[in-house]
Amino acid sequence: MKRCACRLDANGIPHLSKNQLETYGERVLRDFSPEVLLKPQPMDIDRLITHYMGFSLEYQYLSHNQVYLGITVFEDTEALPVYVPELDQAKFLSVKKNTIIIEGTLADNPSFIHRERFTEGHEASHGLIHPEYYRRKAQIASLHDYCGGIYSKPAFPDLSGVDTDGKRLKGEAWLEWQANYLASVLLMPRPAVKRLRNLIEPKGSPFWHQELIQTMVDVFNVSEEAARVRLISLHCLPT
């Protein structure tokens, strides 16, 4: 698995710009599945997680109201809280380190496939670029007998932040921005996106950008919102 070489701050947060995330994401894809860079197609995010990264992928109900869509567990735990719908109550789960858990309701409903794929990409990105941060956080948590430091636990991925300057963010907000941006790179790699744009824009239709967004949705199996944000980040849409 390709490691991400970058500067870390005192807390283990990597300093990664858009360009660095683009470069690293393409290195990962070139190592894992180079054809996705050459021919626009859906990236097999499940296989990236389980075969390339060597992580386990599980589905659990993470809360009663879907406030959490995914978790990446970085250290063994006997006390990961999950929700049991049949009993309408929580229980503690034993989970091994290097496990990604996706909210079960995303798998229950086929209409959530785009959100499921982006959440997997988001959590995979935590596993690729943030293990040192969570390792340090787990060490601190262990001193206080607190398990909260052993896993990432974001709420709904904020796609609106993908195109902002991540360096303006602080702490875990920056981590979430990085995970969102890298997820977009993995699911919609820049070379493949530009190939699509070059195919569609020359047609000359005044609505070519709408056709491009819909083509992105169909080809990469992502949401319309994710496609639009990705195109904006690559300066592929008219302003």
mmCIF file of all heavy atoms in Angstrom, residues 180-211:
data_model
loop_
_atom_site.group_PDB
_atom_site.id
_atom_site.type_symbol
_atom_site.label_atom_id
_atom_site.label_comp_id
_atom_site.label_asym_id
_atom_site.label_seq_id
_atom_site.Cartn_x
_atom_site.Cartn_y
_atom_site.Cartn_z
ATOM 1 N N ASN A 180 -12.665 13.990 2.874
ATOM 2 C CA ASN A 180 -13.638 14.258 1.817
ATOM 3 C C ASN A 180 -12.952 14.469 0.471
ATOM 4 O O ASN A 180 -13.378 13.941 -0.560
ATOM 5 C CB ASN A 180 -14.467 15.506 2.159
ATOM 6 C CG ASN A 180 -15.685 15.194 2.993
ATOM 7 O OD1 ASN A 180 -16.125 14.055 3.078
ATOM 8 N ND2 ASN A 180 -16.241 16.209 3.608
ATOM 9 N N TYR A 181 -11.893 15.279 0.482
ATOM 10 C CA TYR A 181 -11.232 15.589 -0.779
ATOM 11 C C TYR A 181 -10.583 14.346 -1.380
ATOM 12 O O TYR A 181 -10.711 14.089 -2.582
ATOM 13 C CB TYR A 181 -10.189 16.693 -0.598
ATOM 14 C CG TYR A 181 -9.832 17.337 -1.920
ATOM 15 C CD1 TYR A 181 -10.529 18.455 -2.376
ATOM 16 C CD2 TYR A 181 -8.838 16.812 -2.735
ATOM 17 C CE1 TYR A 181 -10.241 19.030 -3.601
ATOM 18 C CE2 TYR A 181 -8.538 17.370 -3.959
ATOM 19 C CZ TYR A 181 -9.235 18.483 -4.393
ATOM 20 O OH TYR A 181 -8.961 19.034 -5.620
ATOM 21 N N LEU A 182 -9.903 13.554 -0.552
ATOM 22 C CA LEU A 182 -9.265 12.350 -1.072
ATOM 23 C C LEU A 182 -10.308 11.347 -1.559
ATOM 24 O O LEU A 182 -10.085 10.649 -2.555
ATOM 25 C CB LEU A 182 -8.363 11.715 -0.012
ATOM 26 C CG LEU A 182 -7.569 10.489 -0.466
ATOM 27 C CD1 LEU A 182 -6.715 10.782 -1.696
ATOM 28 C CD2 LEU A 182 -6.692 9.958 0.670
ATOM 29 N N ALA A 183 -11.448 11.267 -0.881
ATOM 30 C CA ALA A 183 -12.522 10.382 -1.346
ATOM 31 C C ALA A 183 -12.948 10.767 -2.762
ATOM 32 O O ALA A 183 -13.169 9.900 -3.618
ATOM 33 C CB ALA A 183 -13.715 10.453 -0.396
ATOM 34 N N SER A 184 -13.062 12.068 -3.022
ATOM 35 C CA SER A 184 -13.431 12.527 -4.355
ATOM 36 C C SER A 184 -12.365 12.171 -5.384
ATOM 37 O O SER A 184 -12.675 11.794 -6.513
ATOM 38 C CB SER A 184 -13.647 14.049 -4.353
ATOM 39 O OG SER A 184 -14.756 14.391 -3.567
ATOM 40 N N VAL A 185 -11.107 12.286 -4.992
ATOM 41 C CA VAL A 185 -10.007 11.927 -5.891
ATOM 42 C C VAL A 185 -10.056 10.443 -6.239
ATOM 43 O O VAL A 185 -9.865 10.046 -7.393
ATOM 44 C CB VAL A 185 -8.649 12.283 -5.242
ATOM 45 C CG1 VAL A 185 -7.491 11.750 -6.078
ATOM 46 C CG2 VAL A 185 -8.521 13.790 -5.056
ATOM 47 N N LEU A 186 -10.315 9.611 -5.249
ATOM 48 C CA LEU A 186 -10.341 8.165 -5.467
ATOM 49 C C LEU A 186 -11.534 7.734 -6.313
ATOM 50 O O LEU A 186 -11.415 6.871 -7.187
ATOM 51 C CB LEU A 186 -10.359 7.436 -4.126
ATOM 52 C CG LEU A 186 -9.126 7.603 -3.240
ATOM 53 C CD1 LEU A 186 -9.359 6.969 -1.872
ATOM 54 C CD2 LEU A 186 -7.884 7.000 -3.899
ATOM 55 N N LEU A 187 -12.693 8.319 -6.049
ATOM 56 C CA LEU A 187 -13.909 7.915 -6.755
ATOM 57 C C LEU A 187 -14.027 8.560 -8.133
ATOM 58 O O LEU A 187 -14.655 7.989 -9.036
ATOM 59 C CB LEU A 187 -15.135 8.276 -5.915
ATOM 60 C CG LEU A 187 -15.302 7.509 -4.610
ATOM 61 C CD1 LEU A 187 -16.426 8.111 -3.778
ATOM 62 C CD2 LEU A 187 -15.571 6.032 -4.862
ATOM 63 N N MET A 188 -13.434 9.742 -8.288
ATOM 64 C CA MET A 188 -13.509 10.482 -9.561
ATOM 65 C C MET A 188 -12.125 11.010 -9.905
ATOM 66 O O MET A 188 -11.850 12.209 -9.783
ATOM 67 C CB MET A 188 -14.520 11.635 -9.433
ATOM 68 C CG MET A 188 -15.946 11.197 -9.176
ATOM 69 S SD MET A 188 -17.039 12.563 -8.648
ATOM 70 C CE MET A 188 -16.607 12.668 -6.888
ATOM 71 N N PRO A 189 -11.202 10.139 -10.317
ATOM 72 C CA PRO A 189 -9.826 10.575 -10.556
ATOM 73 C C PRO A 189 -9.720 11.631 -11.649
ATOM 74 O O PRO A 189 -10.436 11.588 -12.650
ATOM 75 C CB PRO A 189 -9.098 9.285 -10.949
ATOM 76 C CG PRO A 189 -10.138 8.255 -11.170
ATOM 77 C CD PRO A 189 -11.402 8.707 -10.536
ATOM 78 N N ARG A 190 -8.843 12.572 -11.418
ATOM 79 C CA ARG A 190 -8.690 13.723 -12.310
ATOM 80 C C ARG A 190 -8.494 13.343 -13.784
ATOM 81 O O ARG A 190 -9.186 13.908 -14.648
ATOM 82 C CB ARG A 190 -7.522 14.585 -11.811
ATOM 83 C CG ARG A 190 -7.184 15.785 -12.671
ATOM 84 C CD ARG A 190 -6.158 16.661 -11.975
ATOM 85 N NE ARG A 190 -4.993 15.892 -11.537
ATOM 86 C CZ ARG A 190 -3.991 16.396 -10.819
ATOM 87 N NH1 ARG A 190 -4.034 17.672 -10.451
ATOM 88 N NH2 ARG A 190 -2.969 15.642 -10.449
ATOM 89 N N PRO A 191 -7.595 12.404 -14.134
ATOM 90 C CA PRO A 191 -7.425 12.087 -15.560
ATOM 91 C C PRO A 191 -8.703 11.571 -16.214
ATOM 92 O O PRO A 191 -9.017 11.920 -17.357
ATOM 93 C CB PRO A 191 -6.334 11.010 -15.547
ATOM 94 C CG PRO A 191 -5.609 11.206 -14.262
ATOM 95 C CD PRO A 191 -6.643 11.658 -13.293
ATOM 96 N N ALA A 192 -9.460 10.750 -15.483
ATOM 97 C CA ALA A 192 -10.706 10.200 -16.033
ATOM 98 C C ALA A 192 -11.769 11.283 -16.168
ATOM 99 O O ALA A 192 -12.524 11.318 -17.148
ATOM 100 C CB ALA A 192 -11.208 9.063 -15.141
ATOM 101 N N VAL A 193 -11.844 12.190 -15.192
ATOM 102 C CA VAL A 193 -12.815 13.284 -15.267
ATOM 103 C C VAL A 193 -12.518 14.164 -16.484
ATOM 104 O O VAL A 193 -13.423 14.553 -17.232
ATOM 105 C CB VAL A 193 -12.787 14.128 -13.977
ATOM 106 C CG1 VAL A 193 -13.628 15.390 -14.137
ATOM 107 C CG2 VAL A 193 -13.298 13.309 -12.790
ATOM 108 N N LYS A 194 -11.258 14.474 -16.700
ATOM 109 C CA LYS A 194 -10.898 15.348 -17.820
ATOM 110 C C LYS A 194 -11.150 14.667 -19.167
ATOM 111 O O LYS A 194 -11.473 15.339 -20.156
ATOM 112 C CB LYS A 194 -9.449 15.798 -17.670
ATOM 113 C CG LYS A 194 -9.282 16.762 -16.493
ATOM 114 C CD LYS A 194 -7.934 17.435 -16.458
ATOM 115 C CE LYS A 194 -7.910 18.505 -15.366
ATOM 116 N NZ LYS A 194 -6.619 19.231 -15.313
ATOM 117 N N ARG A 195 -11.015 13.352 -19.206
ATOM 118 C CA ARG A 195 -11.361 12.631 -20.442
ATOM 119 C C ARG A 195 -12.841 12.794 -20.765
ATOM 120 O O ARG A 195 -13.229 13.028 -21.913
ATOM 121 C CB ARG A 195 -11.015 11.147 -20.300
ATOM 122 C CG ARG A 195 -9.534 10.824 -20.437
ATOM 123 C CD ARG A 195 -9.267 9.351 -20.183
ATOM 124 N NE ARG A 195 -7.843 9.063 -20.250
ATOM 125 C CZ ARG A 195 -7.177 8.716 -21.345
ATOM 126 N NH1 ARG A 195 -7.833 8.611 -22.493
ATOM 127 N NH2 ARG A 195 -5.887 8.473 -21.313
ATOM 128 N N LEU A 196 -13.675 12.667 -19.740
ATOM 129 C CA LEU A 196 -15.111 12.855 -19.953
ATOM 130 C C LEU A 196 -15.410 14.273 -20.414
ATOM 131 O O LEU A 196 -16.215 14.495 -21.325
ATOM 132 C CB LEU A 196 -15.877 12.559 -18.661
ATOM 133 C CG LEU A 196 -16.081 11.094 -18.261
ATOM 134 C CD1 LEU A 196 -16.927 11.024 -16.998
ATOM 135 C CD2 LEU A 196 -16.739 10.304 -19.363
ATOM 136 N N ARG A 197 -14.793 15.238 -19.763
ATOM 137 C CA ARG A 197 -15.039 16.633 -20.134
ATOM 138 C C ARG A 197 -14.651 16.886 -21.589
ATOM 139 O O ARG A 197 -15.378 17.556 -22.330
ATOM 140 C CB ARG A 197 -14.250 17.564 -19.221
ATOM 141 C CG ARG A 197 -14.549 19.045 -19.435
ATOM 142 C CD ARG A 197 -13.650 19.890 -18.537
ATOM 143 N NE ARG A 197 -14.053 21.293 -18.552
ATOM 144 C CZ ARG A 197 -13.699 22.186 -19.466
ATOM 145 N NH1 ARG A 197 -12.944 21.816 -20.493
ATOM 146 N NH2 ARG A 197 -14.098 23.446 -19.366
ATOM 147 N N ASN A 198 -13.531 16.338 -22.010
ATOM 148 C CA ASN A 198 -13.071 16.542 -23.385
ATOM 149 C C ASN A 198 -13.982 15.869 -24.405
ATOM 150 O O ASN A 198 -14.047 16.291 -25.563
ATOM 151 C CB ASN A 198 -11.645 16.025 -23.546
ATOM 152 C CG ASN A 198 -10.637 16.875 -22.796
ATOM 153 O OD1 ASN A 198 -10.894 18.038 -22.485
ATOM 154 N ND2 ASN A 198 -9.489 16.289 -22.479
ATOM 155 N N LEU A 199 -14.697 14.833 -23.986
ATOM 156 C CA LEU A 199 -15.639 14.162 -24.876
ATOM 157 C C LEU A 199 -16.945 14.940 -25.020
ATOM 158 O O LEU A 199 -17.553 14.976 -26.091
ATOM 159 C CB LEU A 199 -15.945 12.754 -24.363
ATOM 160 C CG LEU A 199 -14.848 11.698 -24.519
ATOM 161 C CD1 LEU A 199 -15.257 10.422 -23.796
ATOM 162 C CD2 LEU A 199 -14.596 11.408 -25.998
ATOM 163 N N ILE A 200 -17.373 15.555 -23.922
ATOM 164 C CA ILE A 200 -18.702 16.163 -23.894
ATOM 165 C C ILE A 200 -18.700 17.637 -24.285
ATOM 166 O O ILE A 200 -19.541 18.086 -25.055
ATOM 167 C CB ILE A 200 -19.323 15.973 -22.490
ATOM 168 C CG1 ILE A 200 -19.627 14.483 -22.281
ATOM 169 C CG2 ILE A 200 -20.572 16.819 -22.317
ATOM 170 C CD1 ILE A 200 -20.099 14.139 -20.902
ATOM 171 N N GLU A 201 -17.748 18.410 -23.797
ATOM 172 C CA GLU A 201 -17.769 19.856 -24.036
ATOM 173 C C GLU A 201 -17.727 20.219 -25.526
ATOM 174 O O GLU A 201 -18.457 21.142 -25.951
ATOM 175 C CB GLU A 201 -16.604 20.533 -23.313
ATOM 176 C CG GLU A 201 -16.631 22.042 -23.460
ATOM 177 C CD GLU A 201 -15.425 22.716 -22.827
ATOM 178 O OE1 GLU A 201 -14.532 21.991 -22.327
ATOM 179 O OE2 GLU A 201 -15.377 23.953 -22.852
ATOM 180 N N PRO A 202 -16.922 19.544 -26.360
ATOM 181 C CA PRO A 202 -16.852 19.975 -27.770
ATOM 182 C C PRO A 202 -18.162 19.852 -28.545
ATOM 183 O O PRO A 202 -18.255 20.369 -29.663
ATOM 184 C CB PRO A 202 -15.779 19.033 -28.352
ATOM 185 C CG PRO A 202 -14.966 18.603 -27.187
ATOM 186 C CD PRO A 202 -15.949 18.506 -26.057
ATOM 187 N N LYS A 203 -19.155 19.181 -27.983
ATOM 188 C CA LYS A 203 -20.419 19.048 -28.703
ATOM 189 C C LYS A 203 -21.096 20.392 -28.926
ATOM 190 O O LYS A 203 -21.927 20.539 -29.819
ATOM 191 C CB LYS A 203 -21.359 18.110 -27.946
ATOM 192 C CG LYS A 203 -20.868 16.660 -27.896
ATOM 193 C CD LYS A 203 -21.846 15.796 -27.113
ATOM 194 C CE LYS A 203 -21.367 14.352 -27.039
ATOM 195 N NZ LYS A 203 -22.309 13.512 -26.277
ATOM 196 N N GLY A 204 -20.781 21.362 -28.097
ATOM 197 C CA GLY A 204 -21.275 22.710 -28.329
ATOM 198 C C GLY A 204 -22.643 23.015 -27.756
ATOM 199 O O GLY A 204 -23.136 24.125 -27.889
ATOM 200 N N SER A 205 -23.300 22.080 -27.127
ATOM 201 C CA SER A 205 -24.603 22.342 -26.533
ATOM 202 C C SER A 205 -24.459 23.328 -25.382
ATOM 203 O O SER A 205 -23.512 23.237 -24.595
ATOM 204 C CB SER A 205 -25.230 21.041 -26.013
ATOM 205 O OG SER A 205 -26.320 21.319 -25.157
ATOM 206 N N PRO A 206 -25.395 24.280 -25.241
ATOM 207 C CA PRO A 206 -25.323 25.216 -24.115
ATOM 208 C C PRO A 206 -25.528 24.522 -22.771
ATOM 209 O O PRO A 206 -25.274 25.114 -21.730
ATOM 210 C CB PRO A 206 -26.452 26.212 -24.407
ATOM 211 C CG PRO A 206 -27.402 25.470 -25.298
ATOM 212 C CD PRO A 206 -26.546 24.560 -26.125
ATOM 213 N N PHE A 207 -25.998 23.292 -22.812
ATOM 214 C CA PHE A 207 -26.242 22.540 -21.579
ATOM 215 C C PHE A 207 -25.205 21.440 -21.377
ATOM 216 O O PHE A 207 -25.439 20.470 -20.658
ATOM 217 C CB PHE A 207 -27.642 21.926 -21.614
ATOM 218 C CG PHE A 207 -28.738 22.912 -21.869
ATOM 219 C CD1 PHE A 207 -29.397 22.938 -23.083
ATOM 220 C CD2 PHE A 207 -29.087 23.846 -20.901
ATOM 221 C CE1 PHE A 207 -30.399 23.861 -23.328
ATOM 222 C CE2 PHE A 207 -30.085 24.773 -21.140
ATOM 223 C CZ PHE A 207 -30.747 24.789 -22.360
ATOM 224 N N TRP A 208 -24.019 21.604 -22.008
ATOM 225 C CA TRP A 208 -23.025 20.533 -21.946
ATOM 226 C C TRP A 208 -22.596 20.236 -20.512
ATOM 227 O O TRP A 208 -22.311 19.092 -20.161
ATOM 228 C CB TRP A 208 -21.802 20.878 -22.799
ATOM 229 C CG TRP A 208 -20.973 22.023 -22.276
ATOM 230 C CD1 TRP A 208 -21.062 23.321 -22.629
ATOM 231 C CD2 TRP A 208 -19.939 21.944 -21.291
ATOM 232 N NE1 TRP A 208 -20.150 24.090 -21.942
ATOM 233 C CE2 TRP A 208 -19.440 23.266 -21.105
ATOM 234 C CE3 TRP A 208 -19.373 20.915 -20.556
ATOM 235 C CZ2 TRP A 208 -18.420 23.566 -20.217
ATOM 236 C CZ3 TRP A 208 -18.353 21.206 -19.655
ATOM 237 C CH2 TRP A 208 -17.883 22.515 -19.495
ATOM 238 N N HIS A 209 -22.554 21.283 -19.652
ATOM 239 C CA HIS A 209 -22.095 21.052 -18.282
ATOM 240 C C HIS A 209 -23.101 20.211 -17.503
ATOM 241 O O HIS A 209 -22.715 19.410 -16.649
ATOM 242 C CB HIS A 209 -21.847 22.379 -17.564
ATOM 243 C CG HIS A 209 -22.997 23.311 -17.576
ATOM 244 N ND1 HIS A 209 -23.370 24.024 -18.687
ATOM 245 C CD2 HIS A 209 -23.870 23.657 -16.599
ATOM 246 C CE1 HIS A 209 -24.415 24.777 -18.399
ATOM 247 N NE2 HIS A 209 -24.748 24.569 -17.146
ATOM 248 N N GLN A 210 -24.391 20.350 -17.803
ATOM 249 C CA GLN A 210 -25.388 19.498 -17.149
ATOM 250 C C GLN A 210 -25.245 18.052 -17.621
ATOM 251 O O GLN A 210 -25.389 17.106 -16.843
ATOM 252 C CB GLN A 210 -26.795 20.030 -17.438
ATOM 253 C CG GLN A 210 -27.049 21.410 -16.852
ATOM 254 C CD GLN A 210 -28.420 21.958 -17.214
ATOM 255 O OE1 GLN A 210 -29.231 21.277 -17.837
ATOM 256 N NE2 GLN A 210 -28.677 23.192 -16.825
ATOM 257 N N GLU A 211 -24.956 17.888 -18.917
ATOM 258 C CA GLU A 211 -24.726 16.543 -19.447
ATOM 259 C C GLU A 211 -23.483 15.929 -18.816
ATOM 260 O O GLU A 211 -23.463 14.732 -18.510
ATOM 261 C CB GLU A 211 -24.563 16.604 -20.966
ATOM 262 C CG GLU A 211 -24.342 15.236 -21.608
ATOM 263 C CD GLU A 211 -24.107 15.312 -23.097
ATOM 264 O OE1 GLU A 211 -24.267 16.405 -23.691
ATOM 265 O OE2 GLU A 211 -23.738 14.269 -23.673
#
